[in-house]
């Protein structure tokens, strides 16, 4: 794929330098965060300032693209859709900025439509490989999803027609006194909402109150549309996800093997008496040192001894190709380093009371004692903070937790204690040290100024409660689940990016459509009960106090989109926006539901399911085993 | 397993006679339906009458049990937990009936507690094998579900404690003016409801209105508990379901093979020149005719020719054991019988215009023309019924549909047209003939009495709309999905039984706990706006007009339980029942949510997922292929 001249390789190495990558991410985030300061803004700044920052971002992106173009052959560059996509986005953004600037200068209302494309940069830069895979997976699932979706819409239309004929002429009224099921399009929307269960059982009550038999209609509707169709959507999305994932993994393995074979062709040498070309220990060593500089000598030797099973001093093609996989296996180097205190004063650290203390700290009872302390602490946290006894007990508990950490540090070698794999030790120390700092600041402020800051108190309380989580680690059956969850954490970040991309696009569109139409008043103002818009007078949107759920800036937009993702009451939320604009605004909310809830959330569920199944059926790979065997042999 | 004396076999055949099985199901249903006439009754009858019917049911069940005891060896009978279970239920029911009768006679309030066990009879009689498998699958998944559940509860408790500390002292008020997040147990319940998303975003609004930062708390809560934990529940249930299903299938195959080997041992004979014993064609024929009497001679010969690949006149053990699998493969015998009209008047039926008509009916254009007719009909149905033109157009469409069926019957052999696999032909005919009959009755009643019955009109409308479904069959991409859904239909019946068992138990308990406390008034009566209970005055339960969602009889109980299964507004529904009884009544609703939504619905989803995956990856089995090959060879 890449050029192989020395200069090109140097450029490539520079392209992948961590500083440049971090810089790129920084500018992508800055570019996305511009929404905070642009109209409608959370923190308004002059238009020229935000445009200037955007120009800087655009030039950084262009530079990155040019850099990439130098690294790979020209025809490869132009064949790759992601480069074209970036180029088009950059050009469109530039055009949009010029138009917007010109219109703004002549005081004409204009829309920054290119903001919708910003998150696509996050998708299309090389670093977003995982994210692109997720998008490809969605794209491939679309035809099948579409079939099911059309059938699902057909089913809703049929049920709506039936509802119109059954209930339309009965003169029934909804709870708010409106005519019940008389307009076909309204029925379709109401039944779509019923599929999401958001208006159950309210939508059924007028018919049910008229006759119990009508409940049958709604029960069948929910069974078919909510239970069966929604499960089928999950099945289709999941099936495509699995199929596509398998295909991707297979392709990755094939590419990796192909590249390793090419690397072998470069490094290979002929030995006398051997038919096949081989790679010597020396050049292998050089390669590994180049690829993974931070590998210890012992670790490297271990890997070599696995590859070179018969101690011949060279390896063949087959063993060489395995190298990449070998490097991927994490070997935890347990260095039985002596404790610093032992080096400082061996006689004291190795004395009988000290040894006894170390053994006590590592004993099961020690863990149990601290579990009890945590539970007692939980009760104290739950009690009223005003009581001075309770307030002062906090110092006692903090001291106990600090003592625990110190004792553990005494018994264990500090660097082993804080090694990368000891998630809970890190968690403990950070939480307790922060709690200590926050409590001290809080007490200092109280004793000096006589009042305590609400923000600092909030942090103190949160840290105090978070401390309790530690109890989970000492129960084995929980540990397995937690570990699986921690393991799928990094991949969940891909989903976080995916959802941010979609949210960002919807937020931008939503802000242009609905900004300023619904307002939230903190104090008692005349418009408070209608969200500052007469169209919302006496609407359930205003009555339920939803005024703060608006598109007036990017933060409230995101929170509103989260609420829409949770689905409940989404019909009430959308009714507010249709009331202040036009009934067709519903399409925005329906589209959001289809894309986020039906497609993306299902992918998320499929992903969690798959991660757990893999966890349940995980067996060590062959290579893993051969490495372990070798370690055992070497002792 | 079973006795093999001739008398025992005769008893066994009698035990499995379809009449006795139907009778058993009939009495199980009667026993379950007793809830309709018992207190609190939908149709009240004297207590002695319902008790008499129940006694009859009990004696039928006892008879069945005794019959079963005669069929299988005594020690096997007593070792089987399901027999013991039936016995205990029968005895407990008898004891309960005696106590209830005695207390009733002395006018003391008493509870028919044994009604809870009734649905367990449905589970434990041999015929409910599928259902028992589902229950076993749940039981095996329980330990793993419990681990996740405890962790989930722990997470809710931690978040509740944090919410108490963060929001409790801020003096916030909910929308209805109550203090916000001040009582720990209330917070736990509110956050549990938030996991089900039923009170989102209302529960968040007071905190969010106070500060946008608090939204972070709720977003993290929903992410962890609603999305991650609920997906993990699905993963655990699904994983166990798959594992257990595989184990069951493996055991079934093993048992079947074992039994076939025993059958072979009985039928085997030695032939000269052969080391292995074999089964001759004659005894094989006799066996198949005994086991499956309705198999045609041609079909039997076909199967034999598959088993006896080399035409030797006998088969070995291996080929014999396959017999059961061979019999399971459905071979659709396409009998190219001549059309009855052809037999009646060959010259007419085979004339050129007649042949042309037949070809036209089977042409693609014919189908398309009728699809257009259906769409036009859909528009006409949607229009106003009052218009005489629209009303009379119904006759025109009915005539067109009838014509279609008659034309198809003319072109195709009737018995082939109505064969078991032509789902849509059956569907069409039934819907259109019923619509015709209902429309005629309706018109007759209108012209005679001058008014049309609402009930008959409802049926007419429903049938008219159902007719439109047919359009789905002519679109190929829909047909695949529909066929999968139809295929999983029978297994879905198992779930219907499962859910009825659970609903019945909850309905019985709910009726004893809450009967008569919430009342529905159809007409305007003083108690209408408080559901006849002062405790519900101004409650959201009464305001939302939920009075008919009560436990006053078995039908409303079931509908209420369906609403609780759909989840939305379940906290409002449960708040009504806690208001009229005691806050601990919430436990009933939480328990229902855990059992039905977290466990059973997830099994349902797992089941639909699995069915679709199997459908997507289905490949014909080896045996299937060999049968097909044979059919091709035979031409």
């Amino acid at each position: 794929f890449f050029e192989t001249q020395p200069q090109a390789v140097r450029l490539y190495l520079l392209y992948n330098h961590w500083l440049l990558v971090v810089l790129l991410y920084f500018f992508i985030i800055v570019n996305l965060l511009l929404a905070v300061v642009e109209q409608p803004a959370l923190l308004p700044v002059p238009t020229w300032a935000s445009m200037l920052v955007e120009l800087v971002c655009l030039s950084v992106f262009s530079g990155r693209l040019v850099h990439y173009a130098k690294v790979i052959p020209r025809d490869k560059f132009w064949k790759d859709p992601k480069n074209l996509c970036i180029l088009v986005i950059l050009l469109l953004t530039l055009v949009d900025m010029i138009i917007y600037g010109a219109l703004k200068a002549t005081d004409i209302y204009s829309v920054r439509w290119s903001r919708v494309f910003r998150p696509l940069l996050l998708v299309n830069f090389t670093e977003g490989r995982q994210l692109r895979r997720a998008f490809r997976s969605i794209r491939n699932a679309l035809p099948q999803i579409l079939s099911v979706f059309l059938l699902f819409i057909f089913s809703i239309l049929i049920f709506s027609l039936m509802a119109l004929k059954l209930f339309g002429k009965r003169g029934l009224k909804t709870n708010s006194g409106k005519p019940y099921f008389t307009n076909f399009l309204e029925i379709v929307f109401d039944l779509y909402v019923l599929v999401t269960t958001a208006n159950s059982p309210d939508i059924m009550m007028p018919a049910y109150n008229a006759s119990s038999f009508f409940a049958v209609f709604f029960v069948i509707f929910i069974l078919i549309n909510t239970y069966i169709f929604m499960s089928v959507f999950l099945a289709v999305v999941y099936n495509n996800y699995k199929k596509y994932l398998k295909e991707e993994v297979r392709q990755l393995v094939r590419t990796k093997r192909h590249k390793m074979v090419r690397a072998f062709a470069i490094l290979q040498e002929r030995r006398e008496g051997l038919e096949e070309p081989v790679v010597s220990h020396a050049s292998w060593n050089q390669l590994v040192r180049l690829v993974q500089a931070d590998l210890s000598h012992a670790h490297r030797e271990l890997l070599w001894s696995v590859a070179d099973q018969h101690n011949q001093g060279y390896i063949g093609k087959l063993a060489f190709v395995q190298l990449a996989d070998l490097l991927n296996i994490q070997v935890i180097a347990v260095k039985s380093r002596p404790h610093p205190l032992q080096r400082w004063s061996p006689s004291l650290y190795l004395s009988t009371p000290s040894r006894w203390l170390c053994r006590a700290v590592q004993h099961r009872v020690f863990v149990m004692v601290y579990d009890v302390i945590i539970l007692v602490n939980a009760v104290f946290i739950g009690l009223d903070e005003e009581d001075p006894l309770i307030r002062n007990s906090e110092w006692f508990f903090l001291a106990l937790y600090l003592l625990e950490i110190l004792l553990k540090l005494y018994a264990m070698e500090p660097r082993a204690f804080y090694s990368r794999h000891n998630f809970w030790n890190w968690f403990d120390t950070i939480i307790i040290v922060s709690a200590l700092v926050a409590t001290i600041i809080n007490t200092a402020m109280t004793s000096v100024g006589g009042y305590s800051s609400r923000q600092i108190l909030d942090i103190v309380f949160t840290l105090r409660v978070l401390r309790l989580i530690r109890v989970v680690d000492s129960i084995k059956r929980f540990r397995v689940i937690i570990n699986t969850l921690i393991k799928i954490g990094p991949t969940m970040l891909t989903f976080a990016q995916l959802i941010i991309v979609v949210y960002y696009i919807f937020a931008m569109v939503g802000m242009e459509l609905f900004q300023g139409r619904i307002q939230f008043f903190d104090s008692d103002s005349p418009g408070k009960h209608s969200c500052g818009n007469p169209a919302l007078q006496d609407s359930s949107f205003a009555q339920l106090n939803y005024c703060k759920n608006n598109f007036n800036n990017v933060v409230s937009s995101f929170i509103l989109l989260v609420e829409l993702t949770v689905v409940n009451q989404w019909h009430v939320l959308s009714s507010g926006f249709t009331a202040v604009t036009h009934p067709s605004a519903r399409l925005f909310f329906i589209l959001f539901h289809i894309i986020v809830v039906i497609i993306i959330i299902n992918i998320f569920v499929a992903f969690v399911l798959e991660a757990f199944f893999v966890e349940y059926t995980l067996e060590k790979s062959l290579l893993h085993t051969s490495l372990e065997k070798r370690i055992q042999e070497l002792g």
Side-chain angles (χ1 to χ4, degrees), chain A:
Chain A
F1 261 38
F2 298 97
E3 308 265 6
T4 45
Q5 293 88 351
Q7 201 202 348
V9 169
R10 223 169 296 133
L11 257 176
Y12 177 77
L13 285 179
L14 181 68
Y15 184 79
N16 277 331
H17 193 277
W18 68 267
L19 202 70
L20 283 187
V21 173
V22 166
L23 216 66
L24 176 71
Y25 269 105
F26 173 74
F27 277 105
I28 288 178
I29 290 170
V30 166
N31 193 32
L32 289 177
L33 282 182
L34 277 176
V36 175
V37 296
E38 287 167 340
Q39 280 304 323
L42 190 65
L43 309 161
V45 299
T47 310
W48 62 264
S50 71
M51 302 263 282
L52 197 67
V53 175
E54 187 156 15
L55 267 182
V56 173
C57 290
L58 287 189
S59 54
V60 169
F61 298 147
S62 315
R64 184 80 182 166
L65 197 64
V66 170
H67 193 166
Y68 189 64
K70 298 243 172 198
V71 170
I72 70 163
R74 182 143 311 174
D75 58 322
K76 287 268 164 57
F77 179 82
W78 291 110
K79 258 188 211 153
D80 195 340
K82 67 170 186 281
N83 298 323
L84 295 177
C85 190
I86 294 173
L87 206 66
V88 169
I89 291 172
L90 292 180
L91 288 177
L92 283 177
T93 309
L94 212 61
V95 169
D96 180 35
M97 282 171 75
I98 292 167
I99 295 175
Y100 183 77
L103 287 173
K104 195 87 183 171
T106 53
D107 269 335
I108 299 172
Y109 178 79
S110 65
V111 167
R112 274 301 313 274
W113 45 265
S114 73
R115 302 199 293 173
V116 167
F117 302 124
R118 273 183 202 156
L120 296 181
L121 289 173
L122 183 63
V123 182
N124 280 304
F125 270 109
T126 335
E127 287 65 30
R129 198 172 289 140
Q130 294 278 345
L131 191 57
R132 275 203 301 284
R133 201 170 294 156
F135 268 100
R136 271 203 299 270
S137 154
I138 293 175
R139 203 179 54 202
N140 287 344
L142 277 186
Q144 275 198 315
I145 291 176
L146 194 71
S147 299
V148 181
F149 189 75
L150 289 176
L151 194 58
F152 163 67
I153 291 294
F154 178 76
S155 150
I156 290 188
L157 290 178
I158 288 284
F159 272 102
S160 302
L161 193 56
M162 212 183 282
L164 179 69
K165 297 317 274 186
L166 284 181
F167 307 122
K169 286 286 170 64
R170 279 200 150 74
L172 299 175
K173 298 263 174 249
T174 65
N175 205 18
S176 54
K178 290 191 194 118
Y180 179 70
F181 276 1
T182 50
N183 176 314
F184 184 69
L185 284 179
E186 292 289 325
I187 297 176
V188 173
F189 181 71
D190 282 340
L191 289 186
Y192 186 84
V193 175
L194 182 57
V195 173
T196 69
T197 78
N199 60 0
S200 156
D202 306 79
I203 198 72
M204 178 179 106
M205 289 319 291
Y208 181 43
N209 284 340
S211 162
S212 295
F213 282 107
F214 289 133
V216 174
F217 173 85
F218 292 94
V219 170
I220 292 177
F221 179 83
I222 285 177
L223 176 69
I224 292 180
N225 293 292
T226 304
Y227 289 114
I228 297 181
F229 268 113
M230 291 297 129
S231 305
V232 173
F233 276 123
L234 178 58
V236 170
V237 169
Y238 188 13
N239 190 52
N240 272 281
Y241 173 83
K242 272 205 300 191
K243 209 171 63 185
Y244 194 66
L245 200 73
K246 262 186 212 154
E247 192 47 48
E248 288 252 334
V249 168
R250 207 171 291 145
Q251 211 158 8
L252 269 183
V253 168
R254 212 178 297 133
T255 317
K256 189 167 70 181
R257 190 138 302 182
H258 183 70
K259 284 185 181 165
M260 289 307 288
V261 168
R262 278 179 61 189
F264 183 80
I266 293 167
L267 293 175
Q268 72 184 34
E269 46 194 83
R270 297 222 155 258
R271 293 249 172 145
E272 280 173 44
L274 288 173
E275 281 181 40
E276 302 282 315
V278 293
V279 167
S280 70
H281 191 171
S283 49
W284 187 90
N285 240 338
Q286 206 181 350
L287 176 71
V288 174
R289 227 175 311 175
L290 237 133
V291 174
Q292 220 155 357
D294 57 340
L295 220 60
S296 74
H297 179 74
H299 191 167
R300 212 162 52 227
E301 286 305 306
L302 175 69
L303 294 185
W304 174 257
S305 73
V306 173
D308 180 18
Q309 300 267 358
H310 308 293
N311 268 322
Q312 299 168 309
Y314 55 81
I315 50 173
K317 201 176 191 170
L318 211 70
F320 181 82
V321 167
Q322 284 184 348
L323 172 62
D325 300 319
L326 264 179
L327 283 177
N328 273 336
I329 298 175
Q330 286 198 338
V331 175
I332 301 169
V334 186
K335 294 176 194 104
S336 53
R337 223 193 289 259
H339 198 281
L341 286 175
Q342 190 183 341
R343 260 180 296 168
W344 178 68
S345 163
S347 60
L348 200 69
Y349 191 71
L350 296 175
S351 65
T352 322
S354 164
R355 274 165 182 260
W356 182 86
L357 186 65
C358 288
R359 227 175 307 135
V361 170
Q362 279 157 339
H363 198 271
R364 214 157 40 87
V365 173
F366 183 79
V367 176
M368 279 158 68
V369 166
Y370 265 94
D371 284 351
V372 172
I373 290 175
I374 290 175
L375 291 179
V376 173
N377 191 192
V379 175
F380 271 78
I381 293 174
L383 293 174
D384 194 2
E385 185 68 16
E386 309 284 284
D387 191 331
L389 179 75
I390 305 286
R391 194 160 53 218
N392 292 327
S393 73
E394 173 61 16
W395 291 106
F396 173 68
F397 283 111
L398 262 179
L400 277 179
Y401 291 130
L402 268 181
L403 183 69
E404 186 196 10
I405 293 179
L406 290 177
L407 280 176
K408 279 190 179 164
L409 276 178
Y410 183 80
M412 269 176 263
E413 207 278 321
R415 270 196 268 183
F417 187 73
Y418 288 123
S419 75
R420 241 191 308 168
H421 307 275
N422 283 329
F423 172 80
W424 288 108
N425 292 343
W426 281 101
F427 179 83
D428 264 14
T429 313
I430 291 170
I431 291 283
I432 284 158
V433 170
S434 340
L436 187 68
V437 171
T439 312
I440 288 173
I441 292 176
N442 184 42
T443 316
M445 283 181 75
T446 318
S447 60
V448 171
Y451 77 102
S452 57
S453 149
R454 226 28 271 198
Q455 275 78 31
I456 291 183
L457 258 185
D458 284 348
I459 294 170
V460 170
F461 285 143
T462 310
L463 289 170
R464 244 180 245 176
V465 176
L466 284 178
R467 241 155 42 190
L468 305 179
I469 296 180
R470 232 278 314 279
V471 90
V472 166
D473 187 45
S474 48
I475 300 167
K476 202 187 158 197
R477 66 199 314 193
F478 289 171
R479 214 149 41 191
V480 179
I481 305 167
I482 295 266
N483 282 344
T484 309
L485 289 179
I486 291 175
K487 240 180 242 169
I488 61 179
T491 327
M492 251 183 234
L493 282 182
T494 306
F495 278 90
Q497 289 178 27
L498 181 66
I499 211 109
I500 283 174
V501 169
V502 179
Y503 273 22
Y504 198 91
I505 294 174
F506 273 97
M508 290 303 126
V509 176
M511 277 157 66
E512 296 299 350
L513 291 176
F514 306 115
Q515 59 172 287
R517 300 200 187 245
I518 291 179
Q519 251 141 36
F520 173 65
F521 297 97
D522 211 0
S523 56
D524 253 327
S525 87
K528 196 189 174 191
H529 295 292
S530 63
C531 305
N533 194 322
L536 288 175
Q537 196 72 49
D538 296 323
S539 67
S540 50
F541 186 90
Q543 275 165 9
L544 286 168
N545 214 349
Y546 284 173
C547 306
K548 204 172 178 179
N549 297 319
N550 54 41
F551 279 105
N552 292 355
N553 61 57
V554 73
V555 172
S556 22
S557 304
F558 265 68
I559 292 174
L560 174 55
L561 293 178
V562 171
E563 289 172 16
L564 290 175
T565 308
V566 176
V567 171
N568 199 50
Q569 297 288 61
W570 73 282
H571 58 300
V572 177
L573 291 169
S574 73
S575 78
F577 291 95
T578 51
V580 298
T581 52
H582 185 265
S584 62
R586 274 178 188 163
L587 290 177
F588 176 83
F589 295 92
I590 293 179
L591 198 69
F592 181 83
H593 181 263
I594 294 170
I595 292 179
V596 173
V597 180
I598 295 189
I599 301 182
I600 294 184
I601 293 294
N602 274 338
I603 290 192
F604 179 79
V605 173
F607 159 72
V608 173
L609 285 182
E610 197 61 24
F612 264 78
F613 293 160
V614 168
E615 211 48 36
Y616 281 131
T617 58
L618 198 66
E619 278 171 320
K620 282 172 183 160
S621 71
L622 223 73
L623 212 61
H624 226 117
T625 328
S626 83
L627 185 66
E628 274 189 356
K629 217 172 70 190
R630 201 71 189 179
I631 291 175
Q632 276 179 346
E633 277 173 22
L634 296 173

